[in-house]
Amino acid sequence: MENKLEKPQIISLAEKPVTYNLFDGKWIPCSAKYIVMGCKPDNKGIIQIYELTSGESSLIFETVKDLPIKCCTFGASSLKQRHLATGGFTGGLEIWDIENMNEALYSVDAHTEIVNSIDGFGGQSVGCGAPEIVTGGRDGFVKVWDPRQKDKPVVVMEPSEIKQKRDCWAVTFGNSYNNEERVVCAGYDNGDIKMFDLKNMSIRWETNIKNGVCCLEFDRKEIEMNKLVATTLESKFYVWDLRTQHASRGFTSLKEKAHKSTIWAVRHLPQNRDLFMTCGGNGSLCLWQYKYPDKRWREDAEGQPVGVVGTLSLLQNVTLSTQPISSFHWCPDKLGLAVATSFDQTHRVIIVTKLNLY
């Protein structure tokens, strides 16, 4: 693997400038299409669908909505339905049929302020629990929604004191390895990270990394929780090994610096959970490989198990833009294919080569 010829290459296949502010993009499951969204200059929301054909990206659908859109997920929908859940700047949560986007299938005022982050799970995995959507808002609330139940969230995690509420910037599902277990992890502007156990309705673990948490992601949602990555405002990200939780020390972690700027997002490769991409405020992408230690736990002085964290290797990095990469999403059906959006009002189709060697 030390041979430079064996290193992955990050290549921009297609670049499409747009006339609006881009905030999020996702591959449409089981297709060669992807969806991007954001805010027009007149403060309207916009959703566009592009199709990739012979290395070219072509616009095939566009719709304009009354309110700007911040984030989206397909995770709570089945592969057959492919319903898109979106979070908006005025706190709204909508679910759309991408074959007919004239009217939302589901609409609720989820938060009193902007929905900063959204995640979904359960729609595409049998035996891993109910289809659910989690939203995190500027109002400090984290809410879990079941699309089959109208109007009210099934779980609400609220600040202990409204006067001391923190802006929730990141939410993600994890630990959904059967129909009973599931956790939600939330990251806040003051560096707080809280893991909520939805089965027991309690906080399972919490920590503070002293820097605003921009993004959180488990390496896999549908397995017993294994690793968690958090990215921050000031060029650092953290990796926790979640297989061993010490009674007082919690989970063992490592810290890495990258991009020399805010790290906006992290995304694990669907086909290999030990490879992940981080997205920088300087317009760069970094591809990382996590390597496990020989033994993932040891005994402390009291004989209690303590986790042992692994190591990280930077496989490749590239600068794509002069502006931050705001979102990145791997195609679940094609190894190495991805879509990225950035604040230079351009979305890019990315291919990463040689990932099958790792």
Side-chain angles (χ1 to χ4, degrees), residues 30-99:
C30 303
S31 77
K33 302 170 186 175
Y34 63 91
I35 196 162
V36 293
M37 61 203 59
C39 177
K40 290 168 60 69
D42 60 1
N43 212 35
K44 297 282 189 179
I46 183 170
I47 299 174
Q48 293 182 323
I49 296 177
Y50 288 80
E51 185 170 28
L52 188 64
T53 307
S54 301
E56 293 294 328
S57 184
S58 303
L59 177 65
I60 60 172
F61 176 80
E62 177 180 303
T63 183
V64 175
K65 301 301 177 185
D66 290 336
L67 298 170
I69 301 168
K70 175 66 166 61
C71 48
C72 69
T73 180
F74 283 103
S77 176
S78 69
L79 295 174
K80 182 178 179 180
Q81 290 180 322
R82 296 185 295 186
H83 290 165
L84 178 74
T86 60
F89 272 75
T90 58
L93 166 64
E94 281 82 33
I95 299 177
W96 308 89
D97 181 351
I98 61 171
E99 301 296 332

